[in-house]
Amino acid sequence: MSVDQKIHIPQSVPTAPGPGTPAAIRVRDLHKSFRIPTKRVDSLKERAVHPFASRDYRELNALRGLSFEIRQGEFFGIVGRNGSGKSTLLKLLASIYKADSGSIEIAGRLAPFIELGVGFNHELTARENVVLNGVMMGLTPKEMRNRLDAVIDFAELREFADLKLKNYSSGMLVRLAFAVMMEADADVLLIDEVLAVGDASFQQKCADAFHQMKAQGKTIVLVTHEMGSVESYCHRAMLISDGEIKYLGEPTEAGRRYLKLNFAAETGDSNDEEANQEEEVDSGEGARLTSMRILDVDGNETSTVEMGEPIRVEAEIELLQDAPGLHAGFVLANADDVSMFELSVPIHSADGNNIKGNTVLVTATVANPLAPGRHFFHCGLQSPFGISVYVPKAATFVVFGTHPSAGILAPETDFRVRIPGEEV
Amino acid sequence: MASRAEAPLQRVGGPSALGGGPRRFFDLLWLMSITEFKRVYFGTVLGYLWSLIRPLLLFGVLLFVFTKVFRVGSKTVEHYAVMLLLGIVLFTFFQEATTNAVTSVVAQEGVVRKTQFPRLVIPLSTVITAMLNLALNLVVVLAFVLAFGVSPAWTWFLFPVALAALLVFTAAIGMALSVLYVRFRDVAIIWAVLAQVLLYLTPILYPINAFEEENQTYEHLLMWNPLSVIFTQIRVWVLHEPDAPSVVHAAGGWAGLIPATIIFFGVIAFGAWIFKRDAPRVAEAL
Ligand SMILES: Nc1ncnc2c1ncn2[C@@H]1O[C@H](COP(=O)(O)OP(=O)(O)OP(=O)(O)O)[C@@H](O)[C@H]1O
Ligand SMILES: [Mg+2]
């Protein structure tokens, strides 16, 4: 189960800080590149043997000129594929990495949470660690000692307060770390994918905490791959791809574009898969499936279908002999290979006969009640006179949607809520 | 909605050696040092005793070797045993602090790469931890000093001055080593050997005036080592033996102290410079 199903709670009234609100973070033309040595020189001997080896590096442009502004009190989401530069951006904002050029301005005290529980010393007790961690976040030891009880209570770890962290379970560690974060009382919080941990009740607590922080008007920057979180918490969201801003604005739209971007990149390897399938297709049985593709609205091949959008398939079948009564069957299965439904197409020419050597193009449009996830078409060709071809996974595609959905289907629904005694 | 005090936008300079303001720097430095100290001494059964047993054992063995086997000590120095013990304890501090500093930044990788952290705190806290240890050991040394019949003198109050010089020198070396180690892992091995060599190039096991007349040049050369100067001066101030050579005498005149002075300040400048240069990019190089 994905996290966000557990922590999905109704949207609080999001009073987004308007354009007039002063900025909490202002970034101008931020550049960051890493030097990736093609051969890492880690010892003096290597350096002595290859004195110029260190010059062999590749420049990796992780961020290419980002400019944006985050307003005070805003809950700001950052989404993007793996390696797009999200964590790098947070580390630059948090003064962990040094920018190559460009400027960063921040209002107030900032606390980064790149990973929960960093800086915990496992040889020390929870109490000692809480104080140490608080000081790392810029509080004084005294302030942190005053908040100690609040932190321990929030984490619900009172009985374990004097236990050394090395004896904690990983979930308990996360609770403690999250509790410290909540009590750190920074003006700006940077959070990098730390939601996906802890048990269900703690998830709920985190969700509540986020809503509370939002209500307190703290500025929060959240990096996540969970589009549900983006939609339910964020006022605005930014999509990064290859170190550039691809979109900045509505969370829903950012999420949609993110998913599209994510699965668009898969077209490449799904072609490979089809190439592999080709062998099985050629079973020499009198008919064969030469290709099967999923199409978008414009008739171009695609590997993604948005939730609720109809699925368009196109299959090319080559007939090697007369095949009266031939049927093509396309079985739609999900990633767990559960068959969902079958699409059965009788194949015959206008006069009812099949002609040897012909290729037949079958196109079909099917309503799409599928929940997000990967799906396959298995293809079968069958005739009463001996043709029996079965091609598993003849085509594959991903259904994407911004709302995660439990179950394997997500049929379109129309609903109304009526409260007796209230005027509609 | 709670309205927050409006903080002005402030330019962020990126990571640095001292980043985050002086108060946070000292809070962190102290907290890190003291927790590490506590961890070592309350984490083991015999705790503090271990850190005392090591120099004492070394002291016992060396005392036997140099007074009974070679007879270096007993002839030329009135308080050879005390000189030896004090020297060993101080050098143990130097060695422990620098050796721990070498790997400190790499060992704290998580903190460096994932939190906002003033880099300088890391090597310095290992030096402070070693210093806390030294403070405890010095109490034991004091007992020995009195037991061996050294009478207290006003020059004892000057001891902290020499100690401060040792501390600064140690910290500078620790700083340089800790960032060099990020890029060159050989530094750990090289330093282990160098520290061992330094033990013999500092008048600890032998008094600086142990050389014959015709070998005086060696004595002067040894005084190029800033540690020799510090240790010789400490011997003068703490043990105040009438025939102990002054620093100037051992170096063969004031001019003889120039190399050690240059090296001393050179090392400090180098440590500060290289740390300041490398600290901002340590997180990405790890
Ligand atoms: N210290 C580093 N040295 C070299 N390259 C780095 C370093 N840190 C990040 N990179 C590179 O920068 C690019 C962006 O990385 P980053 O961690 O910001 O991605 P991300 O968007 O957070 O991805 P993910 O979703 O997987 O967390 C990657 O190609 C990564 O290899
Ligand atoms: Mg990341």
Side-chain angles (χ1 to χ4, degrees):
Chain A
M1 257 221 179
S2 88
V3 171
D4 144 281
Q5 283 158 19
K6 288 181 222 148
I7 60 173
H8 211 86
I9 59 174
Q11 289 213 353
S12 62
V13 191
T15 34
T21 321
I25 298 177
R26 181 182 293 153
V27 173
R28 289 262 169 279
D29 198 29
L30 191 65
H31 283 269
K32 176 72 194 172
S33 61
F34 295 105
R35 291 177 165 194
I36 314 277
T38 29
K39 184 170 178 297
R40 190 169 177 141
V41 184
D42 249 346
S43 71
L44 285 174
K45 177 179 157 272
E46 280 175 52
R47 167 140 305 208
V49 177
H50 317 278
F52 302 109
S54 67
R55 294 194 186 166
D56 265 3
Y57 60 81
R58 187 163 63 79
E59 196 92 7
L60 189 145
N61 287 314
L63 295 180
R64 318 163 190 240
L66 302 194
S67 300
F68 60 92
E69 220 175 84
I70 298 175
R71 299 169 199 141
Q72 288 194 3
E74 194 164 38
F75 208 121
F76 193 84
I78 299 178
V79 298
R81 305 195 59 207
N82 293 141
S84 54
K86 305 180 297 293
S87 300
T88 305
L89 175 59
L90 286 202
K91 286 179 178 178
L92 285 167
L93 293 177
S95 291
I96 295 170
Y97 286 173
K98 191 163 180 62
D100 294 344
S101 66
S103 76
I104 300 171
E105 289 165 283
I106 289 171
R109 198 157 58 79
L110 173 144
F113 298 90
I114 305 297
E115 195 180 295
L116 281 179
V118 180
F120 275 168
N121 185 332
H122 289 240
E123 295 290 331
L124 303 176
T125 66
R127 279 177 204 283
E128 290 168 306
N129 267 300
V130 168
V131 174
L132 188 61
N133 235 254
V135 174
M136 281 186 188
M137 277 175 250
L139 283 98
T140 63
K142 193 160 169 281
E143 279 174 318
M144 208 54 213
R145 268 183 218 110
N146 291 338
R147 294 171 195 211
L148 194 60
D149 285 324
V151 173
I152 303 277
D153 285 338
F154 184 89
E156 298 171 18
L157 291 169
R158 183 138 295 283
E159 310 95 284
F160 305 103
D162 291 307
L163 190 66
K164 283 186 181 171
L165 287 202
K166 63 180 173 191
N167 299 326
Y168 266 46
S169 78
S170 50
M172 283 156 74
L173 272 179
V174 167
R175 278 161 184 258
L176 189 66
F178 194 84
V180 175
M181 170 170 115
M182 292 304 303
E183 290 295 325
D185 197 31
D187 304 304
V188 181
L189 282 97
L190 306 179
I191 305 170
D192 194 349
E193 296 180 278
V194 289
L195 288 167
V197 277
D199 62 22
S201 84
F202 193 69
Q203 291 288 346
Q204 185 56 51
K205 211 162 179 170
C206 294
D208 294 346
F210 274 115
H211 281 285
Q212 188 195 329
M213 286 197 283
K214 194 170 164 178
Q216 283 172 350
K218 297 203 179 201
T219 311
I220 300 167
V221 181
L222 177 74
V223 169
T224 180
H225 291 281
E226 291 287 343
M227 291 311 121
S229 316
V230 174
E231 277 186 38
S232 63
Y233 303 123
C234 297
H235 295 125
R236 288 192 304 157
M238 176 163 87
L239 172 64
I240 304 186
S241 174
D242 288 329
E244 284 170 7
I245 299 178
K246 285 285 144 66
Y247 178 81
L248 200 165
E250 270 304 300
T252 321
E253 178 62 16
R256 221 182 56 78
R257 293 195 190 203
Y258 163 75
L259 291 173
K260 197 145 194 172
L261 195 71
N262 226 327
F263 296 117
E266 291 205 339
T267 319
D269 51 57
S270 72
N271 278 346
D272 279 1
E273 256 172 59
E274 261 168 56
N276 290 338
Q277 309 287 326
E278 219 77 51
E279 316 261 312
E280 293 170 58
V281 171
D282 190 11
S283 54
E285 293 246 17
R288 52 177 217 172
L289 180 73
T290 43
S291 82
M292 179 154 182
R293 309 186 298 166
I294 310 294
L295 304 179
D296 62 14
V297 191
D298 305 321
N300 300 318
E301 181 165 0
T302 180
S303 60
T304 61
V305 177
E306 194 172 346
M307 222 165 122
E309 289 293 308
I311 307 161
R312 297 177 179 80
V313 285
E314 181 192 80
E316 199 177 80
I317 299 162
E318 193 182 346
L319 302 174
L320 307 169
Q321 64 176 64
D322 278 350
L326 181 68
H327 262 79
F330 304 103
V331 177
L332 188 113
N334 71 2
D336 300 326
D337 210 13
V338 174
S339 299
M340 321 274 280
F341 57 79
E342 184 179 352
L343 201 72
S344 182
V345 182
I347 294 176
H348 48 75
S349 59
D351 59 1
N353 292 315
N354 293 292
I355 303 143
K356 184 180 182 303
N358 256 15
T359 47
V360 180
L361 206 62
V362 178
T363 50
T365 303
V366 203
N368 173 10
L370 302 172
R374 184 173 283 287
H375 293 84
F376 300 97
F377 272 117
H378 304 312
C379 174
L381 301 173
Q382 207 103 38
S383 88
F385 302 99
I387 294 178
S388 174
V389 175
Y390 180 66
V391 184
K393 298 187 179 176
T396 172
F397 62 98
V398 173
V399 174
F400 68 93
T402 50
H403 288 282
S405 160
I408 52 180
L409 295 179
E412 266 192 29
T413 36
D414 201 15
F415 58 82
R416 277 174 81 182
V417 179
R418 233 176 291 167
I419 299 160
E422 246 179 50
E423 292 303 317
V424 184
Chain B
M1 262 209 191
S3 65
R4 310 211 112 224
E6 306 248 310
L9 273 180
Q10 264 171 358
R11 182 97 187 225
V12 175
S16 68
L18 289 166
R23 197 211 70 207
R24 174 151 175 264
F25 180 84
F26 287 112
D27 280 348
L28 270 176
L29 182 58
W30 180 245
L31 210 59
M32 292 261 300
S33 313
I34 198 86
T35 45
E36 174 65 12
F37 182 72
K38 275 197 224 155
R39 190 183 71 75
V40 173
Y41 296 113
F42 300 119
T44 52
V45 183
L46 287 183
Y48 168 65
L49 277 184
W50 287 122
S51 78
L52 191 61
I53 286 172
R54 204 166 56 129
L56 280 186
L57 206 62
L58 190 63
F59 165 67
V61 172
L62 289 174
L63 189 64
F64 171 74
V65 171
F66 283 96
T67 54
K68 300 288 180 264
V69 184
F70 292 122
R71 302 184 163 270
V72 196
S74 46
K75 270 185 277 174
T76 39
V77 195
E78 188 185 343
H79 296 297
Y80 177 73
V82 185
M83 184 199 99
L84 182 62
L85 180 63
L86 187 57
I88 287 174
V89 165
L90 289 173
F91 195 84
T92 302
F93 155 74
F94 173 76
Q95 195 170 15
E96 184 185 296
T98 50
T99 310
N100 289 346
V102 175
T103 49
S104 61
V105 169
V106 174
Q108 292 283 349
E109 185 226 31
V111 171
V112 173
R113 287 183 49 211
K114 287 160 190 162
T115 64
Q116 214 176 16
F117 203 88
R119 276 56 173 132
L120 188 54
V121 165
I122 296 169
L124 281 195
S125 76
T126 65
V127 175
I128 306 271
T129 305
M131 195 187 74
L132 293 173
N133 198 359
L134 172 67
L136 287 182
N137 286 352
L138 282 178
V139 175
V140 176
V141 172
L142 179 68
F144 271 84
V145 167
L146 295 174
F148 275 93
V150 180
S151 49
W154 69 269
T155 47
W156 282 15
F157 291 107
L158 293 172
F159 176 63
V161 177
L163 201 58
L166 178 64
L167 199 68
V168 173
F169 191 62
T170 308
I173 291 178
M175 280 158 66
L177 291 175
S178 66
V179 287
L180 283 175
Y181 182 67
V182 172
R183 285 192 288 159
F184 306 110
R185 299 297 154 99
D186 308 45
V187 167
I189 303 161
I190 294 173
W191 183 251
V193 175
L194 260 178
Q196 202 62 40
V197 170
L198 271 179
L199 172 66
Y200 293 102
L201 292 185
T202 308
I204 293 169
L205 313 178
Y206 53 87
I208 186 74
N209 52 341
F211 295 96
E212 310 284 326
E213 279 301 320
E214 64 269 25
N215 283 339
Q216 286 272 303
T217 338
Y218 292 123
E219 183 175 334
H220 301 333
L221 276 179
L222 271 185
M223 291 302 273
W224 283 36
N225 173 5
L227 289 177
S228 300
V229 179
I230 296 172
F231 280 65
T232 306
Q233 189 61 56
I234 286 177
R235 186 180 152 200
V236 171
W237 279 340
V238 176
L239 304 183
H240 52 85
E241 307 138 308
D243 54 345
S246 72
V247 173
V248 180
H249 182 265
W254 283 101
L257 285 175
I258 293 173
T261 312
I262 292 175
I263 293 173
F264 182 75
F265 287 105
V267 165
I268 292 172
F270 176 75
W273 169 76
I274 197 154
F275 198 88
K276 190 170 185 308
R277 194 197 69 175
D278 283 4
R281 303 218 179 245
V282 156
E284 41 203 281
L286 272 171

